Amino acid sequence: MSEKFDIGLGHNDYTLRKQGDSDFVSFWSDQAKNLHWFSTWHKTLDWRPPFAKWFVGGTINASYNALDVHQSAKSDKPAIFWEGENGDSKTYTYGDLFIEVQKFSNVLKSLGVTKGDRVTIYLPMVPELPIAMLACARIGAIHTVIFSGFSSASIKDRIEDSKSKIVITADGGYRRGKIVKLKEVIDDAIEGFDFVEHVVVLERTKNKISILPKDKLWKDLMKTISDSCDAEKLDSDHPLYILYTSGTTGKPKGVLHGTGGYLTHLYSTFKWAFDIKDSDVFFCTADIGWVTGHSYVVYAPLLHGATQVMYEGAPDFPDVSRMWNILEKYSASIFYTTPTALRMFMKFGDDVPNSFDLSSLRLLGSVGEPINPEVWKWYYKTIGKQKCPIIDTWWQTETGGMMISPLPGLETIPLKPGSATLPIPGVDISVVDEFGSDVPPNTKGYLIIKNPWPGMLLTLWEDDEKYKNVYWSKYPSCYYPGDYAMKDTDGYLWLLGRADDILKVAGHRIGTAELESCIVSDCDVAESAVCGIPDEIKGEAIIVFTVLKDGVTTDKNILEKNLTTKIRIDIGPIATPKQIYFVSKLPKTRSGKIMRRLLKSIASGEKIGDTSTLDDPSAVDEIQKIITKN
Ligand code: WT7
């Protein structure tokens, strides 16, 4: 029996859970009323599996709900305390944001952006990033934010796929004290793209950049523009954004999110999971380039008129005390971070956080990967001083918002270290076997979601077929997230990692197929297979197996360096492998399928089972020898 921790916040409203579970449609209809609608919906859900339309006939605007609704009561309330990596800081009130967003909406209009156009945003973690997103949302343009750690080749694919008319970037961004030259990366990425009409450049680092014919400076555009721009009344299912994420094929998928359903999901989960109050100071460490940043840095806190801290740089810069320093400086009350960050902090011992006053904290969240019980308990004791519930939230880019999580803002249930506890109300989740039958308690199976939910993706950008195949074909009428899970006898869910060919490195999703196609495009490489092995800090680390072309005699150290550089250039530093092995053949089934799971077991030093289905079992012997030698 696992340990239980009872830390309630005094909320015991089990009626919502009952209502959600008995009639999720009317339940979400009630939740949607917390937002401002220009006109109300006549149908809550139009469900033509696997396509869901939420709040049909309703019109709404995300930027209006984030800003306009707070102007009468909160225009002087801080929305964002921004902390630069180099120690710069700046406060944006709800009133300030309102003006900046309206101005930038007018800038976008003046550049010819209209409803439905795509705008790529490649910015560091500066306030102009949410400002640009909200400006797009205000006029009905679809933003597509690209994480500023991605390389120009990855950006090229994404801009080409979304056919963005405008790209917004900065001269540079600060990362661990160095300047990342974002503008240079964009210049490279959009070469030959006639459909990109303008590049808006924000000055952050003031490093030298070349000004090309399409470039316009943010500050020039904002100088004389009007600061009033009404929010467009948009259909509830109007696309708010595309966010690209790795899948099991070589090409990233453009996850498309809508407006009314998505915002309803965020408003509700932020309230239930974090018990958000007017006096709270929320700090989420996620980069806005990932979905956590879209949902719980930009949209959810602003919908609630909350105050938050936004941090520009690396969590361990100038040293590992930076996060605790920020929490103390702003008296933050809610902290939301990743198990990878926590494992890193834990490694440096308790003295570091203990030398800061963290008494303002009342809730602690975790997201992105399974949190191991040891880290959960450290977070609970050392950071939360045994008074803050740990909110382990399971969800995905595709789900838009939290799906499984403790909800102390709603109800009190005992917490178990390592379990994300129960689904949110209105969401029906099962753990099933290969054939879709529920597995017995405490048995590993596949997680499935049996009803549509408001934050769910609309589809994949211009690829309905792929949307159907990836998420809705394994189990009829059920959404398949690609995760392993287990339900215990109390009905608590334990998330056990990916069941497909996607790795989670430091909480970031990396497709093995994407990496493999990058590696085999090297002229020396014939074949490649990628797998993940457990890593003490990052959760998973990347291992690459490579078969070279006949006749390649280059020194293996040089080849390893070249391949690593190629991966960093083509995908980005987050995909850097821990180890590259050169082998003469890969283990395959008789039908020619590479057995990645077997490679993973060998590379992790696990016992391997029966290899009789292999086409050539000697492949395994060779790999075992090479790995033991290392
Ligand atoms: C995958 C989604 C959730 C937003 C950030 C990541 C894994 C996420 C948890 C958790 C165990 C988790 C799953 C999921 N994951 N949260 N609390 N416990 N695993 O979004 O990049 O779309 O990744 O992250 O494997 O499928 P993402």
Side-chain angles (χ1 to χ4, degrees), residues 61-73:
N61 185 290
S63 169
Y64 190 96
N65 274 281
L67 301 170
D68 304 42
V69 298
H70 307 307
Q71 292 312 311
S72 55

Side-chain angles (χ1 to χ4, degrees), residues 292 367-370 392-397 483 498 504 509:
T292 308
V367 63
E369 27 166 351
D392 176 10
T393 63
W394 178 91
W395 56 291
Q396 307 181 298
T397 304
D483 272 44
R498 299 290 310 190
K504 271 271 159 175
R509 205 154 133 172

Side-chain angles (χ1 to χ4, degrees), residues 296-313:
Y296 297 102
V297 175
V298 180
Y299 291 106
L302 296 178
L303 291 178
H304 280 273
T307 296
Q308 71 172 311
V309 179
M310 175 178 171
Y311 171 60
E312 179 184 38

Side-chain angles (χ1 to χ4, degrees), residues 356-466:
F356 292 87
D357 177 7
L358 303 179
S359 59
S360 53
L361 285 170
R362 65 181 196 95
L363 280 152
L364 298 172
S366 169
V367 63
E369 27 166 351
I371 177 163
N372 27 326
E374 195 196 348
V375 178
W376 193 105
K377 285 187 224 162
W378 179 81
Y379 199 20
Y380 178 67
K381 290 193 180 123
T382 307
I383 307 306
K385 316 289 182 223
Q386 312 197 51
K387 66 180 173 68
C388 309
I390 304 294
I391 318 299
D392 176 10
T393 63
W394 178 91
W395 56 291
Q396 307 181 298
T397 304
E398 293 86 342
T399 69
M402 300 165 189
M403 298 295 276
I404 306 173
S405 173
L407 304 172
L410 188 66
E411 59 190 18
T412 301
I413 58 159
L415 301 176
K416 301 185 191 185
S419 166
T421 72
L422 309 177
I424 62 167
V427 166
D428 190 4
I429 284 183
S430 283
V431 180
V432 300
D433 63 16
E434 214 43 72
F435 309 101
S437 307
D438 283 15
V439 296
N442 298 326
T443 312
K444 183 173 172 176
Y446 300 99
L447 191 77
I448 58 166
I449 304 171
K450 300 198 282 192
N451 287 332
W453 64 98
M456 72 187 252
L457 69 170
L458 301 176
T459 184
L460 292 176
W461 178 248
E462 291 189 324
D463 205 344
D464 288 349
E465 273 317 298
K466 194 166 173 187

